[in-house]
Amino acid sequence: MLQRDENGVLHVVALSGGHDSSALAMELMAREPRPYTYVCTPTGDESPEMFTHWRNLGERLGSRILPIMAGTLDNLIRQQKALPNFRQRWCTRKLKIEPFIAWLIEQLKHGPVVAYVGLRADEPLRIGGVYGQLGDIETRCPLREWGWGEDEVQAKLVAVGITCPNRTDCLKCYHQRIGEWWECWAFHRPVFYEAVSLEEETGHTFRTPGRDSWPTSLKEMGERFEAGDKPNISLNRMARERMAAGSCRVCSL
């Protein structure tokens, strides 16, 4: 049984592990001390640095982060016999949204729930999960309540000495840019070639044809990387672009 407050309310903080949710969790603990349940929804395709970050956050927060999983991305791709794409983002729905909703429904059997979501005040058009239709669930966005934007989030992370990984989403994602595929090939080569195998198994590609001058096939892209071709982009610039574009923000809770 998860710990609830004196009124029987379960306080759930959804931790994607990115800048916003990490700053939210740390500031919430300082401003509104109470028992919190911290959860994440791994796909099994995150980098080792991401899992280390979740463990470190749990230690800082004094509570283990509870993973909510319904399989892995690779297994789901093989079950679907297809790769996710911009028309069919079933990976997010099946690996993150539906498992989290099912978990919340289970918690409602024991009493009311408050869900905390890391949406900033400077992104008013972004919509997070709305769970009130499930029952006695209140959704709060404390960063917006505090008027926090990107500057405040970054200042909090610096103040508490937390550095988030360069990327917090899947290493194999159709959404990513060519520089991120190079990053995957350069630093997580087995994952890159697993993506090549998945393309060959399904007969589809992670990349949309015509996006750029690089090959659509990851196998052909890997051959160019092996030959010494490299996107004209620095890792620092990739990190800035990923943050600016939100990267896989649709995948975050």
Side-chain angles (χ1 to χ4, degrees):
M1 184 72 70
L2 300 174
Q3 187 177 5
R4 293 172 176 262
D5 68 13
E6 65 276 9
N7 298 312
V9 178
L10 181 69
H11 296 266
V12 179
V13 180
L15 268 172
S16 70
H19 295 77
D20 297 340
S21 65
S22 298
L24 164 66
M26 297 301 296
E27 183 69 10
L28 196 59
M29 180 177 63
R31 290 196 186 207
E32 303 179 22
R34 61 166 66 90
Y36 291 103
T37 296
Y38 303 98
V39 302
C40 62
T41 52
T43 68
D45 196 52
E46 292 83 3
S47 70
E49 293 81 11
M50 188 62 232
F51 289 102
T52 298
H53 178 57
W54 272 323
R55 287 193 295 271
N56 290 341
L57 271 179
E59 291 175 2
R60 292 290 300 273
L61 294 166
S63 177
R64 176 176 173 269
I65 299 173
L66 176 67
I68 300 173
M69 295 187 70
T72 66
L73 177 64
D74 288 3
N75 287 340
L76 184 60
I77 286 173
R78 292 188 168 99
Q79 290 171 13
Q80 299 285 320
K81 295 181 173 58
L83 301 177
N85 57 60
F86 70 95
R87 293 190 184 91
Q88 302 182 74
R89 198 169 193 137
W90 38 259
C91 49
T92 301
R93 174 171 54 85
K94 289 181 172 292
L95 292 176
K96 291 181 173 288
I97 297 173
E98 291 178 356
F100 186 54
I101 287 176
W103 183 84
L104 285 175
I105 291 173
E106 188 64 27
Q107 305 316 310
L108 282 172
K109 296 177 181 178
H110 308 288
V113 175
V114 177
Y116 299 83
V117 182
L119 298 177
R120 301 194 311 268
D122 59 357
E123 48 179 8
L125 298 181
R126 187 180 170 218
I127 301 174
V130 179
Y131 308 109
Q133 74 275 13
L134 302 179
D136 196 2
I137 297 181
E138 176 188 356
T139 302
R140 284 186 57 190
C141 301
L143 296 178
R144 288 180 173 172
E145 295 172 15
W146 305 331
W148 276 29
E150 180 66 27
D151 290 345
E152 288 79 12
V153 164
Q154 295 304 320
K156 179 63 180 182
L157 295 177
V158 170
V160 296
I162 289 179
T163 301
C164 297
N166 187 27
R167 65 180 300 165
T168 61
D169 50 340
C170 293
L171 290 172
K172 300 188 293 288
C173 180
Y174 76 88
H175 183 69
Q176 62 196 17
R177 296 171 171 83
I178 181 64
E180 291 171 302
W181 280 116
W182 180 86
E183 193 179 34
C184 180
W185 174 85
F187 302 114
H188 306 284
R189 200 156 303 187
V191 176
F192 182 90
Y193 285 105
E194 175 64 21
V196 171
S197 296
L198 289 169
E199 286 194 340
E200 293 175 341
E201 286 181 39
T202 60
H204 300 286
T205 59
F206 282 97
R207 305 190 70 238
T208 303
R211 286 186 65 179
D212 47 51
S213 61
W214 285 81
T216 301
S217 159
L218 290 183
K219 180 179 180 181
E220 294 176 13
M221 184 189 297
E223 290 171 354
R224 285 187 56 175
F225 290 160
E226 294 282 0
D229 286 351
K230 178 180 177 181
N232 185 25
I233 184 170
S234 71
L235 294 184
N236 286 338
R237 181 182 163 195
M238 275 194 282
R240 290 195 303 271
E241 286 189 353
R242 185 179 297 123
M243 185 182 297
S247 187
C248 198
R249 292 289 294 255
V250 71
C251 284
S252 64
L253 287 173

